[in-house]
Amino acid sequence: GDIVLLAKPVTLTEGDRVTLTTDVPVATDGTSKPEKLLYAVSLPPVHGQIEHINYPSVPISSYRQLDVVAQKVSYVHDNSHGACKESPR
């Protein structure tokens, strides 16, 4: 079946955290069990990381829709990954 993913943009400053809810994002694959959907973070955020609230500061590479419904997944904007560093010559 088709998978539909809807997301709403948020604006954050460094150090801010936003908890993912069923408003941001919510997905369905046409089955009767959307809570079993697994999200895989194939490209980590450039300026932060996705975390499980029980393990702050530890980036995760996947989470379930059930975690989103329980408000246990958050994005933390830390600006660390996007910093440009010059390599020494």
Side-chain angles (χ1 to χ4, degrees):
D2 294 332
I3 295 177
V4 176
L5 178 64
L6 303 173
K8 295 179 184 175
V10 294
T11 303
L12 301 172
T13 58
E14 189 170 346
D16 285 351
R17 169 187 305 267
V18 63
T19 301
L20 302 184
T21 65
T22 54
D23 291 336
V24 183
V26 62
T28 181
D29 66 353
T31 69
S32 62
K33 298 187 182 201
E35 68 277 1
K36 300 223 180 219
L37 285 175
L38 177 68
Y39 293 89
V41 181
S42 57
L43 185 61
V46 175
H47 299 289
Q49 62 190 28
I50 309 272
E51 300 176 351
H52 192 282
I53 63 164
N54 292 345
Y55 305 100
S57 301
V58 178
I60 59 175
S61 59
S62 66
Y63 56 93
R64 296 198 176 277
Q65 178 93 357
L66 191 57
D67 295 326
V68 174
V69 171
Q71 297 184 2
K72 297 204 177 259
V73 180
S74 63
Y75 167 76
V76 179
H77 181 70
D78 64 10
N79 212 25
S80 64
H81 301 150
C84 293
K85 296 181 181 176
E86 245 183 75
S87 56
R89 295 186 186 241

